[in-house]
PDB file of all heavy atoms in Angstrom:
ATOM      1  N   LEU A   1       0.921  -1.241  -0.109  1.00 98.00           N
ATOM      2  CA  LEU A   1       0.039  -0.079   0.009  1.00 98.00           C
ATOM      3  C   LEU A   1       0.890   1.266   0.012  1.00 98.00           C
ATOM      4  O   LEU A   1       1.836   1.307   0.730  1.00 98.00           O
ATOM      5  CB  LEU A   1      -0.875   0.110   1.174  1.00 98.00           C
ATOM      6  CG  LEU A   1      -1.710   1.310   1.390  1.00 98.00           C
ATOM      7  CD1 LEU A   1      -2.873   1.333   0.339  1.00 98.00           C
ATOM      8  CD2 LEU A   1      -2.416   1.334   2.781  1.00 98.00           C
ATOM      9  N   GLU A   2       0.640   2.142  -0.918  1.00 98.00           N
ATOM     10  CA  GLU A   2       1.337   3.324  -0.932  1.00 98.00           C
ATOM     11  C   GLU A   2       0.399   4.567  -1.220  1.00 98.00           C
ATOM     12  O   GLU A   2      -0.488   4.570  -1.950  1.00 98.00           O
ATOM     13  CB  GLU A   2       2.272   3.345  -2.133  1.00 98.00           C
ATOM     14  CG  GLU A   2       3.165   4.597  -2.297  1.00 98.00           C
ATOM     15  CD  GLU A   2       4.079   4.563  -3.547  1.00 98.00           C
ATOM     16  OE1 GLU A   2       3.805   3.701  -4.414  1.00 98.00           O
ATOM     17  OE2 GLU A   2       4.943   5.373  -3.626  1.00 98.00           O
ATOM     18  N   VAL A   3       0.358   5.556  -0.249  1.00 98.00           N
ATOM     19  CA  VAL A   3      -0.493   6.673  -0.199  1.00 98.00           C
ATOM     20  C   VAL A   3       0.423   7.858  -0.330  1.00 98.00           C
ATOM     21  O   VAL A   3       1.355   8.117   0.397  1.00 98.00           O
ATOM     22  CB  VAL A   3      -1.322   6.688   1.134  1.00 98.00           C
ATOM     23  CG1 VAL A   3      -2.052   7.927   1.258  1.00 98.00           C
ATOM     24  CG2 VAL A   3      -2.129   5.435   1.188  1.00 98.00           C
ATOM     25  N   ARG A   4       0.007   8.761  -1.225  1.00 98.00           N
ATOM     26  CA  ARG A   4       0.818   9.919  -1.487  1.00 98.00           C
ATOM     27  C   ARG A   4      -0.227  11.077  -1.579  1.00 98.00           C
ATOM     28  O   ARG A   4      -1.126  11.251  -2.243  1.00 98.00           O
ATOM     29  CB  ARG A   4       1.607   9.811  -2.842  1.00 98.00           C
ATOM     30  CG  ARG A   4       2.743   8.788  -2.815  1.00 98.00           C
ATOM     31  CD  ARG A   4       3.770   9.205  -1.896  1.00 98.00           C
ATOM     32  NE  ARG A   4       4.932   8.311  -1.764  1.00 98.00           N
ATOM     33  CZ  ARG A   4       5.179   7.461  -0.755  1.00 98.00           C
ATOM     34  NH1 ARG A   4       4.242   7.550   0.350  1.00 98.00           N
ATOM     35  NH2 ARG A   4       6.055   6.644  -0.721  1.00 98.00           N
ATOM     36  N   GLY A   5       0.238  12.177  -0.781  1.00 98.00           N
ATOM     37  CA  GLY A   5      -0.638  13.460  -0.895  1.00 98.00           C
ATOM     38  C   GLY A   5      -2.061  13.337  -0.540  1.00 98.00           C
ATOM     39  O   GLY A   5      -2.831  14.058  -1.004  1.00 98.00           O
ATOM     40  N   LEU A   6      -2.361  12.389   0.413  1.00 98.00           N
ATOM     41  CA  LEU A   6      -3.898  12.120   0.770  1.00 98.00           C
ATOM     42  C   LEU A   6      -4.471  13.344   1.497  1.00 98.00           C
ATOM     43  O   LEU A   6      -3.819  13.775   2.589  1.00 98.00           O
ATOM     44  CB  LEU A   6      -3.987  10.910   1.523  1.00 98.00           C
ATOM     45  CG  LEU A   6      -5.408  10.468   1.818  1.00 98.00           C
ATOM     46  CD1 LEU A   6      -6.156  10.172   0.564  1.00 98.00           C
ATOM     47  CD2 LEU A   6      -5.386   9.338   2.905  1.00 98.00           C
ATOM     48  N   GLU A   7      -5.547  13.745   0.924  1.00 97.00           N
ATOM     49  CA  GLU A   7      -6.156  14.887   1.550  1.00 97.00           C
ATOM     50  C   GLU A   7      -7.682  14.463   1.757  1.00 97.00           C
ATOM     51  O   GLU A   7      -8.247  13.951   0.729  1.00 97.00           O
ATOM     52  CB  GLU A   7      -6.157  16.241   0.944  1.00 97.00           C
ATOM     53  CG  GLU A   7      -4.656  16.840   0.909  1.00 97.00           C
ATOM     54  CD  GLU A   7      -4.611  18.318   0.800  1.00 97.00           C
ATOM     55  OE1 GLU A   7      -5.773  18.867   0.816  1.00 97.00           O
ATOM     56  OE2 GLU A   7      -3.546  18.847   0.785  1.00 97.00           O
ATOM     57  N   VAL A   8      -8.376  14.871   2.891  1.00 97.00           N
ATOM     58  CA  VAL A   8      -9.743  14.659   3.077  1.00 97.00           C
ATOM     59  C   VAL A   8     -10.331  15.912   3.712  1.00 97.00           C
ATOM     60  O   VAL A   8      -9.812  16.463   4.682  1.00 97.00           O
ATOM     61  CB  VAL A   8     -10.093  13.487   4.023  1.00 97.00           C
ATOM     62  CG1 VAL A   8     -11.578  13.385   4.275  1.00 97.00           C
ATOM     63  CG2 VAL A   8      -9.554  12.151   3.466  1.00 97.00           C
ATOM     64  N   ARG A   9     -11.423  16.508   2.972  1.00 96.00           N
ATOM     65  CA  ARG A   9     -12.082  17.612   3.568  1.00 96.00           C
ATOM     66  C   ARG A   9     -13.605  17.227   3.988  1.00 96.00           C
ATOM     67  O   ARG A   9     -14.239  16.567   3.190  1.00 96.00           O
ATOM     68  CB  ARG A   9     -12.107  18.760   2.636  1.00 96.00           C
ATOM     69  CG  ARG A   9     -10.689  19.323   2.332  1.00 96.00           C
ATOM     70  CD  ARG A   9     -10.800  20.356   1.163  1.00 96.00           C
ATOM     71  NE  ARG A   9      -9.502  20.911   1.051  1.00 96.00           N
ATOM     72  CZ  ARG A   9      -8.938  21.993   1.586  1.00 96.00           C
ATOM     73  NH1 ARG A   9      -9.700  22.651   2.527  1.00 96.00           N
ATOM     74  NH2 ARG A   9      -7.750  22.515   1.284  1.00 96.00           N
ATOM     75  N   TYR A  10     -13.985  17.799   4.997  1.00 95.00           N
ATOM     76  CA  TYR A  10     -15.534  17.682   5.298  1.00 95.00           C
ATOM     77  C   TYR A  10     -15.968  19.215   5.401  1.00 95.00           C
ATOM     78  O   TYR A  10     -15.747  19.948   6.277  1.00 95.00           O
ATOM     79  CB  TYR A  10     -15.625  17.128   6.698  1.00 95.00           C
ATOM     80  CG  TYR A  10     -15.179  15.782   6.839  1.00 95.00           C
ATOM     81  CD1 TYR A  10     -13.980  15.398   7.573  1.00 95.00           C
ATOM     82  CD2 TYR A  10     -15.784  14.666   6.212  1.00 95.00           C
ATOM     83  CE1 TYR A  10     -13.526  14.159   7.680  1.00 95.00           C
ATOM     84  CE2 TYR A  10     -15.335  13.430   6.217  1.00 95.00           C
ATOM     85  CZ  TYR A  10     -14.149  13.047   7.080  1.00 95.00           C
ATOM     86  OH  TYR A  10     -13.659  11.812   7.099  1.00 95.00           O
ATOM     87  N   GLY A  11     -16.603  19.679   4.165  1.00 92.00           N
ATOM     88  CA  GLY A  11     -16.964  20.984   4.029  1.00 92.00           C
ATOM     89  C   GLY A  11     -15.647  21.869   4.071  1.00 92.00           C
ATOM     90  O   GLY A  11     -14.761  21.654   3.266  1.00 92.00           O
ATOM     91  N   GLY A  12     -15.623  22.715   4.998  1.00 89.00           N
ATOM     92  CA  GLY A  12     -14.475  23.690   5.040  1.00 89.00           C
ATOM     93  C   GLY A  12     -13.437  23.079   5.943  1.00 89.00           C
ATOM     94  O   GLY A  12     -12.282  23.753   6.115  1.00 89.00           O
ATOM     95  N   ILE A  13     -13.580  21.957   6.574  1.00 92.00           N
ATOM     96  CA  ILE A  13     -12.661  21.390   7.510  1.00 92.00           C
ATOM     97  C   ILE A  13     -11.736  20.408   6.648  1.00 92.00           C
ATOM     98  O   ILE A  13     -12.009  19.567   6.017  1.00 92.00           O
ATOM     99  CB  ILE A  13     -13.353  20.610   8.592  1.00 92.00           C
ATOM    100  CG1 ILE A  13     -14.181  21.547   9.394  1.00 92.00           C
ATOM    101  CG2 ILE A  13     -12.225  19.898   9.538  1.00 92.00           C
ATOM    102  CD1 ILE A  13     -14.967  20.824  10.422  1.00 92.00           C
ATOM    103  N   ARG A  14     -10.441  20.605   6.899  1.00 95.00           N
ATOM    104  CA  ARG A  14      -9.401  19.829   6.225  1.00 95.00           C
ATOM    105  C   ARG A  14      -8.863  18.844   7.330  1.00 95.00           C
ATOM    106  O   ARG A  14      -8.120  19.074   8.138  1.00 95.00           O
ATOM    107  CB  ARG A  14      -8.217  20.723   5.785  1.00 95.00           C
ATOM    108  CG  ARG A  14      -7.269  20.141   4.862  1.00 95.00           C
ATOM    109  CD  ARG A  14      -6.109  21.112   4.391  1.00 95.00           C
ATOM    110  NE  ARG A  14      -5.162  20.546   3.615  1.00 95.00           N
ATOM    111  CZ  ARG A  14      -3.847  21.036   3.606  1.00 95.00           C
ATOM    112  NH1 ARG A  14      -3.602  22.047   4.436  1.00 95.00           N
ATOM    113  NH2 ARG A  14      -2.930  20.470   2.917  1.00 95.00           N
ATOM    114  N   ALA A  15      -9.507  17.575   7.162  1.00 96.00           N
ATOM    115  CA  ALA A  15      -9.249  16.584   8.161  1.00 96.00           C
ATOM    116  C   ALA A  15      -8.005  15.823   7.977  1.00 96.00           C
ATOM    117  O   ALA A  15      -7.347  15.295   9.017  1.00 96.00           O
ATOM    118  CB  ALA A  15     -10.525  15.569   8.132  1.00 96.00           C
ATOM    119  N   VAL A  16      -7.546  15.582   6.764  1.00 97.00           N
ATOM    120  CA  VAL A  16      -6.289  14.863   6.445  1.00 97.00           C
ATOM    121  C   VAL A  16      -5.513  15.799   5.611  1.00 97.00           C
ATOM    122  O   VAL A  16      -6.008  16.286   4.463  1.00 97.00           O
ATOM    123  CB  VAL A  16      -6.537  13.646   5.753  1.00 97.00           C
ATOM    124  CG1 VAL A  16      -5.158  12.802   5.331  1.00 97.00           C
ATOM    125  CG2 VAL A  16      -7.397  12.631   6.770  1.00 97.00           C
ATOM    126  N   ARG A  17      -4.242  16.122   5.748  1.00 96.00           N
ATOM    127  CA  ARG A  17      -3.580  17.204   5.268  1.00 96.00           C
ATOM    128  C   ARG A  17      -2.372  16.780   4.498  1.00 96.00           C
ATOM    129  O   ARG A  17      -1.273  16.850   4.854  1.00 96.00           O
ATOM    130  CB  ARG A  17      -3.020  18.146   6.305  1.00 96.00           C
ATOM    131  CG  ARG A  17      -4.183  18.825   7.097  1.00 96.00           C
ATOM    132  CD  ARG A  17      -3.724  19.565   8.329  1.00 96.00           C
ATOM    133  NE  ARG A  17      -4.736  20.190   9.112  1.00 96.00           N
ATOM    134  CZ  ARG A  17      -5.036  21.467   9.029  1.00 96.00           C
ATOM    135  NH1 ARG A  17      -4.371  22.312   8.026  1.00 96.00           N
ATOM    136  NH2 ARG A  17      -6.041  21.965   9.625  1.00 96.00           N
ATOM    137  N   GLY A  18      -2.660  16.176   3.312  1.00 97.00           N
ATOM    138  CA  GLY A  18      -1.519  15.667   2.383  1.00 97.00           C
ATOM    139  C   GLY A  18      -0.584  14.510   2.923  1.00 97.00           C
ATOM    140  O   GLY A  18       0.572  14.848   2.643  1.00 97.00           O
ATOM    141  N   ILE A  19      -1.039  13.658   3.603  1.00 97.00           N
ATOM    142  CA  ILE A  19      -0.105  12.707   4.200  1.00 97.00           C
ATOM    143  C   ILE A  19       0.354  11.644   3.213  1.00 97.00           C
ATOM    144  O   ILE A  19      -0.248  11.325   2.159  1.00 97.00           O
ATOM    145  CB  ILE A  19      -0.706  11.970   5.401  1.00 97.00           C
ATOM    146  CG1 ILE A  19      -1.981  11.018   4.879  1.00 97.00           C
ATOM    147  CG2 ILE A  19      -1.352  12.959   6.418  1.00 97.00           C
ATOM    148  CD1 ILE A  19      -2.331  10.098   6.015  1.00 97.00           C
ATOM    149  N   ASP A  20       1.597  11.167   3.342  1.00 98.00           N
ATOM    150  CA  ASP A  20       2.249  10.116   2.739  1.00 98.00           C
ATOM    151  C   ASP A  20       2.426   8.923   3.746  1.00 98.00           C
ATOM    152  O   ASP A  20       2.922   9.120   4.850  1.00 98.00           O
ATOM    153  CB  ASP A  20       3.605  10.525   2.186  1.00 98.00           C
ATOM    154  CG  ASP A  20       3.506  11.602   1.163  1.00 98.00           C
ATOM    155  OD1 ASP A  20       2.394  11.950   0.683  1.00 98.00           O
ATOM    156  OD2 ASP A  20       4.579  12.307   0.889  1.00 98.00           O
ATOM    157  N   LEU A  21       2.140   7.715   3.376  1.00 97.00           N
ATOM    158  CA  LEU A  21       2.461   6.563   4.127  1.00 97.00           C
ATOM    159  C   LEU A  21       2.552   5.342   3.227  1.00 97.00           C
ATOM    160  O   LEU A  21       1.986   5.450   1.985  1.00 97.00           O
ATOM    161  CB  LEU A  21       1.440   6.216   5.134  1.00 97.00           C
ATOM    162  CG  LEU A  21      -0.070   5.973   4.896  1.00 97.00           C
ATOM    163  CD1 LEU A  21      -0.160   4.494   4.615  1.00 97.00           C
ATOM    164  CD2 LEU A  21      -1.013   6.440   5.977  1.00 97.00           C
ATOM    165  N   GLU A  22       3.243   4.232   3.690  1.00 98.00           N
ATOM    166  CA  GLU A  22       3.254   3.066   2.906  1.00 98.00           C
ATOM    167  C   GLU A  22       3.310   1.830   3.866  1.00 98.00           C
ATOM    168  O   GLU A  22       3.745   1.989   5.003  1.00 98.00           O
ATOM    169  CB  GLU A  22       4.523   3.081   2.106  1.00 98.00           C
ATOM    170  CG  GLU A  22       5.783   3.237   2.610  1.00 98.00           C
ATOM    171  CD  GLU A  22       6.932   3.307   1.674  1.00 98.00           C
ATOM    172  OE1 GLU A  22       6.844   4.086   0.640  1.00 98.00           O
ATOM    173  OE2 GLU A  22       8.019   2.665   1.797  1.00 98.00           O
ATOM    174  N   VAL A  23       2.831   0.803   3.406  1.00 98.00           N
ATOM    175  CA  VAL A  23       2.841  -0.491   4.114  1.00 98.00           C
ATOM    176  C   VAL A  23       3.424  -1.577   3.165  1.00 98.00           C
ATOM    177  O   VAL A  23       2.938  -1.841   2.170  1.00 98.00           O
ATOM    178  CB  VAL A  23       1.468  -0.813   4.648  1.00 98.00           C
ATOM    179  CG1 VAL A  23       1.471  -2.159   5.434  1.00 98.00           C
ATOM    180  CG2 VAL A  23       0.763   0.231   5.318  1.00 98.00           C
ATOM    181  N   ALA A  24       4.481  -2.270   3.707  1.00 98.00           N
ATOM    182  CA  ALA A  24       5.075  -3.321   2.996  1.00 98.00           C
ATOM    183  C   ALA A  24       4.367  -4.569   3.240  1.00 98.00           C
ATOM    184  O   ALA A  24       3.776  -4.776   4.223  1.00 98.00           O
ATOM    185  CB  ALA A  24       6.588  -3.475   3.293  1.00 98.00           C
ATOM    186  N   GLU A  25       4.352  -5.474   2.172  1.00 98.00           N
ATOM    187  CA  GLU A  25       3.702  -6.778   2.345  1.00 98.00           C
ATOM    188  C   GLU A  25       4.345  -7.481   3.575  1.00 98.00           C
ATOM    189  O   GLU A  25       5.573  -7.555   3.795  1.00 98.00           O
ATOM    190  CB  GLU A  25       4.037  -7.612   1.094  1.00 98.00           C
ATOM    191  CG  GLU A  25       3.244  -9.010   1.104  1.00 98.00           C
ATOM    192  CD  GLU A  25       2.471  -9.139  -0.098  1.00 98.00           C
ATOM    193  OE1 GLU A  25       2.907  -8.756  -1.165  1.00 98.00           O
ATOM    194  OE2 GLU A  25       1.400  -9.779   0.083  1.00 98.00           O
ATOM    195  N   GLY A  26       3.426  -7.985   4.448  1.00 97.00           N
ATOM    196  CA  GLY A  26       3.734  -8.662   5.605  1.00 97.00           C
ATOM    197  C   GLY A  26       3.952  -7.865   6.873  1.00 97.00           C
ATOM    198  O   GLY A  26       4.143  -8.382   7.917  1.00 97.00           O
ATOM    199  N   GLU A  27       3.911  -6.538   6.698  1.00 98.00           N
ATOM    200  CA  GLU A  27       4.050  -5.663   7.792  1.00 98.00           C
ATOM    201  C   GLU A  27       2.846  -5.473   8.686  1.00 98.00           C
ATOM    202  O   GLU A  27       1.698  -5.527   8.151  1.00 98.00           O
ATOM    203  CB  GLU A  27       4.519  -4.343   7.349  1.00 98.00           C
ATOM    204  CG  GLU A  27       5.913  -3.964   7.179  1.00 98.00           C
ATOM    205  CD  GLU A  27       6.316  -2.538   6.949  1.00 98.00           C
ATOM    206  OE1 GLU A  27       5.695  -1.801   6.222  1.00 98.00           O
ATOM    207  OE2 GLU A  27       7.284  -2.152   7.730  1.00 98.00           O
ATOM    208  N   LEU A  28       2.890  -5.045   9.933  1.00 98.00           N
ATOM    209  CA  LEU A  28       1.833  -4.545  10.674  1.00 98.00           C
ATOM    210  C   LEU A  28       2.335  -3.156  11.129  1.00 98.00           C
ATOM    211  O   LEU A  28       3.258  -3.013  11.735  1.00 98.00           O
ATOM    212  CB  LEU A  28       1.694  -5.439  12.023  1.00 98.00           C
ATOM    213  CG  LEU A  28       0.436  -5.310  12.847  1.00 98.00           C
ATOM    214  CD1 LEU A  28       0.360  -6.317  13.856  1.00 98.00           C
ATOM    215  CD2 LEU A  28       0.226  -3.852  13.471  1.00 98.00           C
ATOM    216  N   VAL A  29       1.561  -2.251  10.492  1.00 98.00           N
ATOM    217  CA  VAL A  29       1.904  -0.824  10.643  1.00 98.00           C
ATOM    218  C   VAL A  29       0.670  -0.212  11.451  1.00 98.00           C
ATOM    219  O   VAL A  29      -0.568  -0.400  11.079  1.00 98.00           O
ATOM    220  CB  VAL A  29       2.005  -0.135   9.229  1.00 98.00           C
ATOM    221  CG1 VAL A  29       2.165   1.426   9.490  1.00 98.00           C
ATOM    222  CG2 VAL A  29       3.176  -0.657   8.558  1.00 98.00           C
ATOM    223  N   CYS A  30       0.971   0.763  12.325  1.00 98.00           N
ATOM    224  CA  CYS A  30      -0.137   1.328  13.176  1.00 98.00           C
ATOM    225  C   CYS A  30      -0.153   2.809  12.850  1.00 98.00           C
ATOM    226  O   CYS A  30       0.888   3.492  12.568  1.00 98.00           O
ATOM    227  CB  CYS A  30      -0.006   1.028  14.645  1.00 98.00           C
ATOM    228  SG  CYS A  30       1.362   1.780  15.400  1.00 98.00           S
ATOM    229  N   LEU A  31      -1.374   3.457  13.069  1.00 97.00           N
ATOM    230  CA  LEU A  31      -1.583   4.843  13.010  1.00 97.00           C
ATOM    231  C   LEU A  31      -2.057   5.215  14.469  1.00 97.00           C
ATOM    232  O   LEU A  31      -3.113   4.827  14.876  1.00 97.00           O
ATOM    233  CB  LEU A  31      -2.625   5.317  12.061  1.00 97.00           C
ATOM    234  CG  LEU A  31      -2.323   5.037  10.519  1.00 97.00           C
ATOM    235  CD1 LEU A  31      -3.440   5.495   9.688  1.00 97.00           C
ATOM    236  CD2 LEU A  31      -1.084   5.597  10.028  1.00 97.00           C
ATOM    237  N   ILE A  32      -1.266   6.060  15.081  1.00 96.00           N
ATOM    238  CA  ILE A  32      -1.832   6.581  16.392  1.00 96.00           C
ATOM    239  C   ILE A  32      -2.040   8.141  16.444  1.00 96.00           C
ATOM    240  O   ILE A  32      -1.510   8.763  15.652  1.00 96.00           O
ATOM    241  CB  ILE A  32      -0.824   6.057  17.546  1.00 96.00           C
ATOM    242  CG1 ILE A  32       0.488   6.760  17.370  1.00 96.00           C
ATOM    243  CG2 ILE A  32      -0.821   4.600  17.482  1.00 96.00           C
ATOM    244  CD1 ILE A  32       1.464   6.571  18.552  1.00 96.00           C
ATOM    245  N   GLY A  33      -2.654   8.541  17.419  1.00 94.00           N
ATOM    246  CA  GLY A  33      -2.883  10.055  17.492  1.00 94.00           C
ATOM    247  C   GLY A  33      -4.090  10.243  18.374  1.00 94.00           C
ATOM    248  O   GLY A  33      -4.931   9.329  18.665  1.00 94.00           O
ATOM    249  N   ALA A  34      -4.380  11.490  18.771  1.00 91.00           N
ATOM    250  CA  ALA A  34      -5.489  11.937  19.496  1.00 91.00           C
ATOM    251  C   ALA A  34      -6.798  11.916  18.785  1.00 91.00           C
ATOM    252  O   ALA A  34      -6.799  11.690  17.542  1.00 91.00           O
ATOM    253  CB  ALA A  34      -5.346  13.441  20.035  1.00 91.00           C
ATOM    254  N   ASN A  35      -7.905  11.875  19.457  1.00 90.00           N
ATOM    255  CA  ASN A  35      -9.225  11.951  18.682  1.00 90.00           C
ATOM    256  C   ASN A  35      -9.198  13.135  17.714  1.00 90.00           C
ATOM    257  O   ASN A  35      -8.687  14.292  18.165  1.00 90.00           O
ATOM    258  CB  ASN A  35     -10.391  12.205  19.786  1.00 90.00           C
ATOM    259  CG  ASN A  35     -10.586  10.947  20.417  1.00 90.00           C
ATOM    260  OD1 ASN A  35     -10.379   9.807  20.009  1.00 90.00           O
ATOM    261  ND2 ASN A  35     -11.086  11.005  21.769  1.00 90.00           N
ATOM    262  N   GLY A  36      -9.677  12.965  16.659  1.00 90.00           N
ATOM    263  CA  GLY A  36      -9.713  14.074  15.626  1.00 90.00           C
ATOM    264  C   GLY A  36      -8.399  14.239  14.907  1.00 90.00           C
ATOM    265  O   GLY A  36      -8.350  15.196  14.140  1.00 90.00           O
ATOM    266  N   ALA A  37      -7.491  13.432  15.078  1.00 94.00           N
ATOM    267  CA  ALA A  37      -6.169  13.534  14.370  1.00 94.00           C
ATOM    268  C   ALA A  37      -6.338  13.179  12.857  1.00 94.00           C
ATOM    269  O   ALA A  37      -5.341  13.542  12.064  1.00 94.00           O
ATOM    270  CB  ALA A  37      -5.151  12.826  15.049  1.00 94.00           C
ATOM    271  N   GLY A  38      -7.349  12.473  12.529  1.00 96.00           N
ATOM    272  CA  GLY A  38      -7.500  12.105  11.067  1.00 96.00           C
ATOM    273  C   GLY A  38      -7.177  10.635  10.783  1.00 96.00           C
ATOM    274  O   GLY A  38      -7.044  10.199   9.692  1.00 96.00           O
ATOM    275  N   LYS A  39      -7.133   9.828  11.927  1.00 96.00           N
ATOM    276  CA  LYS A  39      -6.824   8.374  11.736  1.00 96.00           C
ATOM    277  C   LYS A  39      -7.893   7.603  10.970  1.00 96.00           C
ATOM    278  O   LYS A  39      -7.628   6.965   9.996  1.00 96.00           O
ATOM    279  CB  LYS A  39      -6.539   7.753  13.162  1.00 96.00           C
ATOM    280  CG  LYS A  39      -5.472   8.411  13.887  1.00 96.00           C
ATOM    281  CD  LYS A  39      -5.240   7.667  15.203  1.00 96.00           C
ATOM    282  CE  LYS A  39      -6.516   7.499  16.167  1.00 96.00           C
ATOM    283  NZ  LYS A  39      -7.085   8.667  16.660  1.00 96.00           N
ATOM    284  N   THR A  40      -9.083   7.719  11.434  1.00 95.00           N
ATOM    285  CA  THR A  40     -10.228   6.994  10.812  1.00 95.00           C
ATOM    286  C   THR A  40     -10.536   7.526   9.522  1.00 95.00           C
ATOM    287  O   THR A  40     -10.709   6.786   8.597  1.00 95.00           O
ATOM    288  CB  THR A  40     -11.480   7.094  11.755  1.00 95.00           C
ATOM    289  OG1 THR A  40     -11.267   6.307  12.901  1.00 95.00           O
ATOM    290  CG2 THR A  40     -12.758   6.603  10.971  1.00 95.00           C
ATOM    291  N   SER A  41     -10.309   8.925   9.289  1.00 97.00           N
ATOM    292  CA  SER A  41     -10.641   9.400   7.957  1.00 97.00           C
ATOM    293  C   SER A  41      -9.614   8.895   6.906  1.00 97.00           C
ATOM    294  O   SER A  41      -9.923   8.721   5.791  1.00 97.00           O
ATOM    295  CB  SER A  41     -10.414  11.003   7.967  1.00 97.00           C
ATOM    296  OG  SER A  41     -11.614  11.533   8.733  1.00 97.00           O
ATOM    297  N   THR A  42      -8.383   8.589   7.381  1.00 97.00           N
ATOM    298  CA  THR A  42      -7.363   8.077   6.543  1.00 97.00           C
ATOM    299  C   THR A  42      -7.770   6.686   6.021  1.00 97.00           C
ATOM    300  O   THR A  42      -7.699   6.395   4.782  1.00 97.00           O
ATOM    301  CB  THR A  42      -5.947   8.048   7.189  1.00 97.00           C
ATOM    302  OG1 THR A  42      -5.557   9.468   7.540  1.00 97.00           O
ATOM    303  CG2 THR A  42      -4.903   7.354   6.336  1.00 97.00           C
ATOM    304  N   LEU A  43      -8.261   5.880   6.936  1.00 97.00           N
ATOM    305  CA  LEU A  43      -8.610   4.503   6.519  1.00 97.00           C
ATOM    306  C   LEU A  43      -9.860   4.542   5.655  1.00 97.00           C
ATOM    307  O   LEU A  43      -9.987   3.893   4.645  1.00 97.00           O
ATOM    308  CB  LEU A  43      -9.051   3.685   7.704  1.00 97.00           C
ATOM    309  CG  LEU A  43      -7.765   3.176   8.677  1.00 97.00           C
ATOM    310  CD1 LEU A  43      -8.284   2.032   9.580  1.00 97.00           C
ATOM    311  CD2 LEU A  43      -6.553   2.762   7.826  1.00 97.00           C
ATOM    312  N   ARG A  44     -10.741   5.423   5.980  1.00 96.00           N
ATOM    313  CA  ARG A  44     -12.023   5.444   5.117  1.00 96.00           C
ATOM    314  C   ARG A  44     -11.688   5.990   3.710  1.00 96.00           C
ATOM    315  O   ARG A  44     -12.198   5.572   2.816  1.00 96.00           O
ATOM    316  CB  ARG A  44     -13.031   6.397   5.868  1.00 96.00           C
ATOM    317  CG  ARG A  44     -13.700   5.798   7.130  1.00 96.00           C
ATOM    318  CD  ARG A  44     -14.581   6.775   7.922  1.00 96.00           C
ATOM    319  NE  ARG A  44     -15.588   7.268   7.118  1.00 96.00           N
ATOM    320  CZ  ARG A  44     -16.777   6.545   6.858  1.00 96.00           C
ATOM    321  NH1 ARG A  44     -17.008   5.259   7.462  1.00 96.00           N
ATOM    322  NH2 ARG A  44     -17.726   7.089   6.108  1.00 96.00           N
ATOM    323  N   ALA A  45     -10.658   6.960   3.685  1.00 97.00           N
ATOM    324  CA  ALA A  45     -10.300   7.377   2.396  1.00 97.00           C
ATOM    325  C   ALA A  45      -9.651   6.428   1.505  1.00 97.00           C
ATOM    326  O   ALA A  45      -9.782   6.275   0.311  1.00 97.00           O
ATOM    327  CB  ALA A  45      -9.359   8.711   2.581  1.00 97.00           C
ATOM    328  N   ILE A  46      -8.641   5.617   2.120  1.00 97.00           N
ATOM    329  CA  ILE A  46      -8.139   4.463   1.370  1.00 97.00           C
ATOM    330  C   ILE A  46      -9.225   3.605   0.792  1.00 97.00           C
ATOM    331  O   ILE A  46      -9.004   3.042  -0.326  1.00 97.00           O
ATOM    332  CB  ILE A  46      -7.205   3.678   2.353  1.00 97.00           C
ATOM    333  CG1 ILE A  46      -5.946   4.504   2.792  1.00 97.00           C
ATOM    334  CG2 ILE A  46      -6.690   2.339   1.809  1.00 97.00           C
ATOM    335  CD1 ILE A  46      -5.098   3.996   3.879  1.00 97.00           C
TER     336      ILE A  46
END
């Protein structure tokens, strides 16, 4: 999985701000952060 420049907006709110991430085959990669950091929005966008 390769994500480049991912952005998510809800109306005027920019929830995900151009993030890049990648996951190699066989890896377990985690996303952590406070509530509202954009974690769930990132998965939903993928």
Side-chain angles (χ1 to χ4, degrees):
L1 176 70
E2 182 180 11
V3 175
R4 293 287 179 259
L6 182 67
E7 296 210 2
V8 177
R9 292 178 181 268
Y10 300 110
I13 300 173
R14 194 175 171 210
V16 178
R17 300 167 177 264
I19 69 170
D20 298 341
L21 65 85
E22 59 185 47
V23 183
E25 184 125 39
E27 272 195 315
L28 196 171
V29 175
C30 69
L31 300 179
I32 65 170
N35 283 334
K39 305 184 303 296
T40 290
S41 291
T42 297
L43 288 197
R44 290 173 61 82
I46 290 169

